[in-house]
């Protein structure tokens, strides 16, 4: 099921009411039951699309929503002949029903009064050639024609930007009712609230006519196509998540390698700095020892001069011989 887009083009000055009568007119109400008994109570809303008559135009319609995973819409597209109508069933899935009930339990009805969920009904005129003859789904040829019509409608709405499409938006209201009051919930021709209808007795092949068998085959084929489409969407989402995960891993590995390189560079620079400082200290120590030696020699020279001036030549001669002997 497609989500609501921003396609708001109009066919001239026409409105949707000129092409289809939509019931309800402005809002879809879903009644949520607080039932602790464990019985299934799937919120359901019925929307009716009716050709207003007065012309011989066939109308193609499509129903979109801002929450395609929250609501199950069947059928979400179709073709309505002049004077005909189509009933669209909208189910709220159980998981989202529980989420809404949890919000209600925390904050009350005010948590549900400002729902941003919306539905969009789109309609456009199609040529008689596109509509073709009404197909009989009880025959193999009719089932094949219905499948071809569904594919043609999908192609038509994929190019809706080129069509004179009229739109109608409907808001969504969620109302919580107690299980004891579920039977007193408001009832109208457009909204129903009840447990899923009881399934008809299972018919065996021996008890079914040929037309019934063909109808059942057509229904099974339609359900199979829906399951295949759902599976394809899940596979695509899985591939997107896998690609995102792989990209994140690559970025993380690149970041770790860069950080290790920076740490190695920093360690090498610190080692070189320490070596240079050590050599400088050794050089300073050597220069200090040489200065001390020079001062000592100078002191000895001055002392020798003074001693010679005092006449202590013998001591000087003795030092000379001492150094000469060495």
């Amino acid at each position: 099921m497609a989500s609501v887009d921003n396609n708001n083009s109009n066919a001239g000055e026409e409105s949707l009411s000129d092409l289809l009568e939509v019931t309800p007119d402005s809002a879809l109400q879903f009644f949520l039951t607080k039932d602790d008994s464990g019985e299934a109570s799937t919120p359901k809303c019925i929307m009716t699309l009716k050709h207003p008559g007065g012309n011989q135009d066939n109308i193609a319609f499509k129903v979109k929503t801002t929450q395609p995973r929250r609501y199950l819409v069947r059928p979400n597209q179709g073709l309505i002949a002049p004077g005909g109508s189509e009933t669209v069933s909208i189910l709220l899935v159980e998981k989202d029903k529980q989420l809404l009930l949890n919000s209600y339990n925390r904050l009350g009805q005010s948590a549900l009064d400002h729902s941003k969920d919306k539905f969009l009904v789109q309609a456009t005129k199609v040529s008689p050639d596109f509509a073709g003859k009404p197909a009989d789904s009880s025959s193999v040829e009719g089932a094949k024609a219905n499948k071809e019509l569904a594919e043609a409608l999908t192609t038509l709405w994929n190019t809706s930007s080129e069509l004179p499409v009229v739109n109608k938006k409907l808001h969504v209201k969620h109302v919580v009712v107690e299980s004891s009051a579920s039977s007193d919930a408001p009832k109208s021709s457009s909204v129903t609230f009840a447990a899923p209808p009881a399934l008809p007795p299972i018919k065996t092949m021996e008890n079914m006519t040929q037309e019934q068998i063909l109808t059942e085959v057509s229904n099974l084929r339609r359900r199979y196509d829906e399951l295949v489409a759902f599976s394809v969407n899940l596979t695509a989402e899985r591939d997107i998540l896998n690609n995102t995960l792989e990209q994140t891993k690559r970025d993380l590995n690149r970041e770790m390698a860069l950080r290790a390189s920076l740490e190695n560079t920093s360690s090498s620079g610190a080692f070189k700095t320490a070596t240079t400082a050590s050599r400088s200290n050794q050089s300073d120590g050597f220069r200090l020892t040489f200065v001390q030696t020079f001062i000592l020699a100078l002191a000895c020279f001055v002392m020798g001069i003074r001693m010679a001036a005092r006449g202590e030549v013998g001591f000087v001669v003795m030092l000379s011989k001492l150094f000469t002997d060495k």
Side-chain angles (χ1 to χ4, degrees):
M1 178 174 50
S3 59
V4 172
D5 56 17
N6 294 323
N7 184 8
N8 293 319
S9 60
N10 292 324
E13 297 298 330
E14 285 184 324
S15 63
L16 185 65
S17 59
D18 297 326
L19 301 182
L20 289 177
E21 296 177 358
V22 181
T23 306
D25 181 64
S26 60
L28 301 174
Q29 295 189 29
F30 293 86
F31 292 97
L32 313 180
T33 305
K34 294 181 61 177
D35 191 356
D36 299 330
S37 64
E39 297 181 358
S41 55
T42 304
K44 178 181 179 182
C45 182
I46 300 298
M47 179 168 56
T48 303
L49 307 178
K50 183 178 180 181
H51 194 296
N55 58 66
Q56 297 301 315
D57 295 323
N58 290 275
I59 306 300
F61 73 89
K62 187 173 184 66
V63 181
K64 298 182 179 182
T65 177
T66 55
Q67 295 286 351
R69 297 186 180 181
R70 173 173 290 184
Y71 301 98
L72 181 63
V73 181
R74 290 293 180 272
N76 65 336
Q77 64 179 6
L79 194 64
I80 301 178
S85 64
E86 183 73 47
T87 299
V88 179
S89 176
I90 307 175
L91 297 178
L92 175 65
V93 301
E94 184 65 21
K95 180 184 71 174
D96 288 275
K97 171 195 168 183
Q98 294 301 327
L99 292 176
L100 293 172
L101 286 177
N102 291 338
S103 298
Y104 174 85
N105 292 334
R106 294 195 307 268
L107 304 175
Q109 182 61 42
S110 60
L112 309 180
D113 287 341
H114 304 287
S115 174
K116 296 182 180 180
D117 298 353
K118 296 182 180 64
F119 280 82
L120 178 68
V121 180
Q122 295 183 300
T124 186
K125 298 178 182 179
V126 295
S127 63
D129 295 337
F130 181 90
K133 296 181 179 180
D136 182 9
S137 60
S138 63
S139 63
V140 176
E141 292 78 8
K144 183 177 179 180
N146 284 340
K147 182 178 180 180
E148 293 176 352
L149 178 59
E151 294 175 350
L153 285 171
T154 301
T155 303
L156 173 73
W157 289 112
N158 286 339
T159 59
S160 59
S161 59
E162 303 174 1
L163 299 175
V165 178
V166 291
N167 304 321
K168 182 178 181 62
K169 291 183 179 180
L170 292 91
H171 295 274
V172 173
K173 294 182 179 179
H174 301 108
V175 180
V176 177
V177 294
E178 301 295 335
S179 57
S180 59
S182 60
S183 58
D184 300 330
K187 298 182 181 292
S188 67
S189 59
S190 60
V191 177
T192 59
F193 170 72
L199 296 176
I202 300 177
K203 296 182 179 180
T204 61
M205 298 291 291
E206 292 79 5
N207 298 331
M208 297 175 65
T209 64
Q210 183 178 2
E211 289 76 10
Q212 291 174 334
I213 293 175
L214 292 174
T215 301
E216 186 67 20
V217 169
S218 176
N219 292 334
L220 290 176
R221 183 175 300 171
R222 177 174 55 82
R223 293 174 184 174
Y224 171 77
D225 293 339
E226 292 174 356
L227 289 175
V228 169
F230 183 70
S231 176
V232 169
N233 290 334
L234 287 180
T235 302
E237 292 180 0
R238 182 201 63 188
D239 293 341
I240 292 174
L241 291 176
N242 287 337
N243 292 337
T244 303
L245 179 60
E246 291 299 328
Q247 182 63 33
T248 303
K249 288 181 178 179
R250 288 194 294 269
D251 294 342
L252 179 60
N253 292 335
R254 190 181 302 110
E255 181 67 22
M256 293 178 64
L258 179 60
R259 182 173 300 177
S261 177
L262 292 176
E263 290 178 354
N264 292 336
T265 303
S266 177
S267 300
S268 177
F271 177 75
K272 290 181 179 179
T273 302
T275 303
T276 303
S278 176
R279 291 178 179 177
S280 177
N281 292 335
Q282 292 177 358
S283 177
D284 291 341
F286 174 77
R287 288 196 298 270
L288 181 61
T289 302
F290 176 79
V291 171
Q292 290 176 349
T293 303
F294 177 76
I295 293 175
L296 179 61
L298 182 61
C300 292
F301 177 74
V302 173
M303 185 176 61
I305 293 176
R306 288 184 177 182
M307 292 177 66
R310 293 177 182 176
E312 299 177 358
V313 180
F315 178 74
V316 176
V317 173
M318 181 184 64
L319 289 177
S320 315
K321 289 181 179 182
L322 181 61
F323 285 108
T324 303
D325 292 339
K326 290 183 177 181

